[in-house]
Amino acid sequence: MDLSDYQRQAQATDQLPAGDPNAIIVPLLGMAGEVGSLLAEYKKYLRDKDAHVLFPEQVAEELGDILWYLANTATKFDLDLAAIAASNLAKTRDRWPPAGGHPKYRLFDDDFPSEEQLPRSFTVEVTDSVGAYGKSRINLTIDGMSAGDPLQDNAYDEDGYRFHDVCHLAHAAKLGWSPVLRGKLLTPNRKRRSAPEVDEVEDGGRAIVIDEAIVAYVWEYARRHRFLEGVTTVDYPVLKTIRQLTGGLEVATRSAHDWEEAILVGYRIFRQVRTRRRGVLAVDLRTRSIDLVE
């Protein structure tokens, strides 16, 4: 039996059809109650162990009741249960792709002239020095060329935000995407001017702002979690917000899992560079890697 057929047949046994003032709240409360019943069965199993011989049958019954209330709730909201299931599978595959490694993908600028491509491999040197008002600032070079302006924390207390460009570099390494790297850090820049619309939408000011906004947003999340030290997963609401911010850009084809990898490796490098107050990074877009080498 498929889910849509089950939903139709379940509706035939509904005792509170649409129009009844309790039509929606009853299945919602029903789901909550049946989940409680399932937990109660598991409690009995923990207490009685193998003496609870009906445990599998009871679990099946409780799950069936949950499924009925779930289907009934979907019907009351005029939703198709099969479509909900398909959407959920797409969401979970985006977040946790099946085993077998990262699927190969083309870099976004593969079809552009070499001078408009992000460099496939490069070396970044980060140095920390004393700047205005005695505050520390960093300088970046990419393959020996100055990259962007010297950065300070721009905060009352030194918090290390001046090292945040390593997160843009992680975006480039893991996603093949960073308008900030393409348009602001590389000399000469690698904007795709041979395709004016791509240049405007993907490499222009709005995309650069989105790249910066994502880094600032994740920074606040990371700061509250010890800059992700010891963390192996990123909270899904963070990834969901990033996907929403990038919905109209080429990087929307990258998965939530890709973003998680970029964030985690970016903060691994950030912690290392911040502790040492310097570092030499090797970035390779073909192998999707960024590493501290000195």
Side-chain angles (χ1 to χ4, degrees), residues 116-252:
E116 295 183 0
Q117 294 179 349
L118 291 174
R120 290 343 190 205
S121 63
F122 54 95
T123 300
V124 181
E125 184 172 6
V126 182
T127 57
D128 200 13
S129 60
V130 177
Y133 311 109
K135 291 189 174 183
S136 297
R137 67 178 185 180
I138 67 151
N139 293 274
L140 257 64
T141 63
I142 296 179
D143 288 341
M145 300 286 291
S146 179
D149 298 323
L151 293 180
Q152 296 183 169
D153 287 335
N154 298 128
Y156 291 113
D157 298 318
E158 184 174 307
D159 60 7
Y161 190 73
R162 63 190 181 279
F163 296 105
H164 79 271
D165 278 339
V166 300
C167 297
H168 295 299
L169 299 174
H171 291 176
K174 288 294 185 180
L175 306 164
W177 177 86
S178 176
V180 168
L181 173 63
R182 186 185 295 277
K184 294 179 65 177
L185 298 183
L186 289 170
T187 305
N189 67 56
R190 302 299 179 92
K191 292 190 173 186
R192 288 165 282 186
R193 292 193 171 88
S194 61
E197 189 172 32
V198 172
D199 180 32
E200 177 186 358
V201 175
E202 302 291 352
D203 304 340
R206 185 174 179 179
I208 289 172
V209 167
I210 289 172
D211 194 3
E212 293 281 19
I214 289 170
V215 169
Y217 168 63
V218 174
W219 164 269
E220 287 301 321
Y221 166 77
R223 183 176 60 82
R224 294 192 300 271
H225 295 81
R226 298 186 307 162
F227 294 110
L228 306 187
E229 184 175 4
V231 172
T232 58
T233 60
V234 176
D235 291 346
Y236 184 70
V238 174
L239 301 175
K240 184 177 180 180
T241 297
I242 292 171
R243 299 299 304 281
Q244 290 170 341
L245 287 170
T246 57
L249 300 173
E250 60 192 0
V251 74

